[in-house]
Amino acid sequence: MTLKVYLSGEIHTGWREEIIEGAAGLDVSFSAPVTDHDASDDCGVAILGAEEKKFWHDNLGAKVNAIRTRKGIEDADVVVVRFGEKYKQWNAAFDAGYAAALGKSLIVLHGDDHQHALKEVDAAALAVCQEPRQVAQILQYVLTGNLPG
């Protein structure tokens, strides 16, 4: 069995690489949004033309990015959404809701400080993890039936 895993959310730390390294040797393919913050913010105006107002600048970028995000979530067997410490990732919450609405297996990754704010997101998830290694261990267990150790 091959698992397609979409890694959504926070882009300022190496959590994606930790999961990918932890899943080495497993039959898993990973996809993700564009994680270059500037490219993600500016893709709409870079391709479609400058916008005078910041709202429309951001709106264009969000729509262009949504093409990739929707495809990645729709094609995934498992969607992992990471909520980081530094920024409020409303887009991550949106991705989690979209994945849940599509019936995707959802794994949420965040620290204790977000527990209350994300209680509805956590309730929709099949697993709530605090560390990327836990996500990799879940993927290992799902694919092999073996517990970590």
Side-chain angles (χ1 to χ4, degrees):
M1 162 180 11
T2 299
L3 281 182
K4 296 180 198 166
V5 179
Y6 186 76
L7 302 173
S8 176
E10 184 261 322
I11 64 170
H12 298 96
T13 64
W15 69 272
R16 285 180 179 83
E17 291 76 17
E18 290 180 53
I19 292 171
I20 293 167
E21 287 173 16
L26 297 175
D27 195 3
V28 181
S29 65
F30 292 97
S31 61
V34 171
T35 58
D36 177 317
H37 199 158
D38 291 335
S40 177
D41 284 350
D42 297 335
C43 63
V45 296
I47 297 167
L48 301 171
E51 285 292 341
E52 184 178 316
K53 294 187 177 183
K54 182 69 171 148
F55 174 86
W56 295 114
H57 175 114
D58 290 344
N59 186 270
L60 283 178
K63 288 178 179 179
V64 170
N65 284 315
I67 297 167
R68 180 183 179 115
T69 301
R70 288 180 186 180
K71 176 71 172 151
I73 291 172
E74 289 167 4
D75 288 353
D77 300 307
V78 177
V79 176
V80 179
V81 182
R82 163 79 175 149
F83 294 88
E85 307 303 319
K86 188 171 181 182
Y87 300 101
K88 292 181 177 18
Q89 290 102 36
W90 306 121
N91 58 318
F94 186 87
D95 290 355
Y98 186 57
L102 292 174
K104 300 296 176 173
S105 295
L106 176 62
I107 300 173
V108 176
L109 179 59
H110 64 76
D112 285 338
D113 55 328
H114 289 354
Q115 190 171 352
H116 179 74
L118 293 172
K119 63 185 178 295
E120 286 82 8
V121 173
D122 289 351
L126 297 180
V128 178
C129 301
Q130 291 194 351
E131 302 293 333
R133 69 173 168 73
Q134 294 172 312
V135 176
Q137 290 171 341
I138 288 171
L139 298 176
Q140 177 185 5
Y141 176 76
V142 167
L143 287 169
T144 68
N146 296 325
L147 293 172

